Amino acid sequence: MTMPTIRLMPKAEARAIRHGFPWVYSNELVTDRRTKAIEPGTLALLEDSARTPMGVVAVNPQSRIIARMLDRDPEAVIDRDWLATRLRAALAHREALYDAPFYRLVHAEADGLPGVVIDRFGDAAVIQPNAAWAEVLLDDLAAALVEVTGVSTIVKNGSGRARGLEGLPDETLVMTGALDGPVPVAMNGATYMADLTGGQKTGLFFDQRDNHAFVQRLVKGRRMLDVFSHVGGFSLASLAGGATQALAVDSSAPALELAEQGAGAMGAGDRFATRKGDAFDVMAALADEGERFDVVVCDPPAFAPNRQALDAGLRAYERVARLAAPLVAPGGYLCLCSCSHAADLTKFRNASARGIGKGGRRGQIIWTGFAGPDHPQLPQLAESGYLKSLVFRLSE
């Protein structure tokens, strides 16, 4: 089947695309009526303004990212075998890193599958098809995933802001196999319970694995507080690291229930407690109660998911730091995290420092962490470096 051809405008950065930039924006492409009529998810041949072929792209005229580079070979055939080849390369990297099949298997553009996220949970996998082309080829992608990894259960998680930007509907369903409840996940010596169909994102945040491990080094024989805990990310890791007590705070009762199940599965239920409520309100209440912890971790949702939300998001991160700092015992540690694309490390660090100062404390940064190596980045996409983790040692 002959692919349609689309062409860059003369002002477009063709050299950047040749050097690895994976996207074509709508203002860089000749968008005549024929191009605008292309169905979202259609594969096309991309040419530069001189009509030199540049590769095979996936087109979505409804998106600001109108074309995503799939293969720089203009003769490439994007089919199940092509998908399997990309998946094998991704799997080889993860198997070199981890001795158990719990990780992010595909991290979108960096793994050569633009807009596709796949998290693996043993014999189950969750696919997030966040680009139109992946929605069109989802059955082939799922079949290739089974072929390459041998998973027996595949969940489609079709929710989130990224799909909305592509004009795709929300839809979450079990495509193959079956689930009879949360999936236990062993990580850093802790046991997490991941809800693959009803939890946040794909059910667990693998990206914090290395930051969990660092906090484990600080908690032995100490008491810790995990704010915005989700299913107990930092608190369960801390219990595995020898914390005497961990308190998890979250606004979601189902998430806290999963955290409790994880603590029980680890045999650490007697050292674990939860508190449901708005994180800001709970931190203020803990301060009023005179509570102090040796280690405090705050891992909130993305307060600045885009540039329009940046100023408000930075104020929110500052507020988190201001409320958390007084809860840290002298000589204790405060870990502050951001998963906001729009807030770079410098802006996040400055907001955190302001908040700590306004909370009446001073601190030194002892750790700057990012997403783990199963979340690779393209150097051309600064936005992909979304996760930042700062650990401060606080004095009075």
Side-chain angles (χ1 to χ4, degrees):
M1 184 176 178
T2 302
M3 292 185 295
T5 299
I6 59 175
R7 189 170 74 256
L8 293 177
M9 298 176 67
K11 68 175 184 179
E13 285 287 340
R15 184 170 59 179
I17 295 170
R18 287 195 176 95
H19 290 174
F21 191 78
W23 299 337
V24 178
Y25 294 106
S26 56
N27 62 354
E28 298 178 310
L29 198 71
V30 176
T31 49
D32 52 21
R33 283 188 296 176
R34 180 184 58 83
T35 302
K36 291 178 180 178
I38 293 175
E39 286 293 319
T42 298
L43 305 182
L45 176 66
L46 176 66
E47 296 179 341
D48 64 16
S49 59
R51 297 188 182 275
T52 303
M54 299 181 68
V56 178
V57 296
V59 182
N60 185 353
Q62 298 180 13
S63 173
R64 179 171 174 259
I65 302 173
I66 196 169
R68 298 172 186 261
M69 182 63 71
L70 295 179
D71 200 305
R72 298 182 190 284
D73 177 3
E75 304 296 325
V77 177
I78 311 300
D79 57 10
R80 187 175 299 182
D81 289 342
W82 183 92
L83 292 165
T85 298
R86 294 290 167 102
L87 290 172
R88 287 190 190 97
L91 178 62
H93 171 54
R94 276 67 182 186
E95 288 185 335
L97 294 170
Y98 307 112
D99 58 5
F102 301 99
Y103 40 67
R104 173 147 295 181
L105 175 61
V106 171
H107 195 52
E109 277 76 359
D111 282 305
L113 293 169
V116 176
V117 168
I118 303 177
D119 281 350
R120 185 173 183 185
F121 300 87
D123 292 331
V126 180
I127 302 176
Q128 289 184 300
N130 294 329
W133 78 272
E135 186 80 11
V136 171
L137 294 180
L138 184 58
D139 288 342
D140 281 334
L141 179 59
L145 183 60
V146 171
E147 174 190 333
V148 170
T149 65
V151 296
S152 57
T153 299
I154 296 178
V155 176
K156 172 190 176 182
N157 184 323
S159 62
R161 176 175 174 271
R163 282 179 63 86
L165 295 175
E166 286 279 299
L168 300 172
D170 281 3
E171 181 184 48
T172 296
L173 55 87
V174 178
M175 296 181 65
T176 62
L179 293 168
D180 57 5
V183 176
V185 175
M187 189 164 62
N188 288 324
T191 300
Y192 298 93
M193 305 303 293
D195 182 353
L196 305 192
T197 56
Q200 292 183 38
K201 300 291 185 180
T202 62
L204 193 66
F205 298 118
F206 286 125
D207 53 2
Q208 287 281 24
R209 185 193 315 250
D210 290 357
N211 298 316
H212 291 166
F214 181 80
V215 169
Q216 277 185 320
R217 297 163 62 182
L218 307 175
V219 298
K220 187 174 182 179
R222 291 172 167 166
R223 186 166 174 252
M224 72 87 62
L225 171 67
D226 183 9
V227 186
F228 305 98
S229 68
H230 188 225
V231 298
F234 281 92
S235 45
L236 297 187
S238 295
L239 292 173
T244 58
Q245 184 183 18
L247 173 62
V249 175
D250 203 273
S251 61
S252 168
L256 291 176
E257 183 178 343
L258 290 171
E260 290 172 343
Q261 291 177 23
M266 296 166 54
D270 59 334
R271 293 184 286 137
F272 184 64
T274 64
R275 188 154 170 173
K276 179 183 178 300
D278 175 83
F280 296 101
D281 292 342
V282 172
M283 284 193 287
L286 288 170
D288 290 341
E289 295 163 16
E291 289 280 12
R292 294 293 183 272
F293 301 84
D294 301 301
V295 179
V296 175
V297 179
C298 296
D299 183 18
F303 288 141
N306 52 53
R307 292 179 183 177
Q308 291 75 22
L310 178 58
D311 289 343
L314 292 174
R315 289 193 295 272
Y317 287 121
E318 180 181 316
R319 185 184 177 203
V320 168
R322 176 173 59 81
L323 291 171
L327 298 175
V328 181
Y333 299 94
L334 173 61
C335 175
L336 300 172
C337 305
S338 166
C339 59
S340 292
H341 289 268
D344 65 20
L345 177 60
T346 299
K347 290 184 175 66
F348 174 60
R349 184 175 58 229
N350 291 344
S352 298
R354 286 195 302 272
I356 290 170
K358 290 181 179 180
R361 304 297 294 277
R362 294 187 303 158
Q364 55 186 182
I365 296 174
I366 64 164
W367 169 262
T368 301
F370 304 95
D374 56 343
H375 289 64
Q377 302 175 36
L378 285 181
Q380 296 86 357
L381 284 182
E383 295 93 335
S384 62
Y386 64 100
L387 182 66
K388 286 80 64 177
S389 177
L390 299 172
V391 179
F392 297 80
R393 186 174 185 270
L394 298 191
S395 56
E396 286 294 352

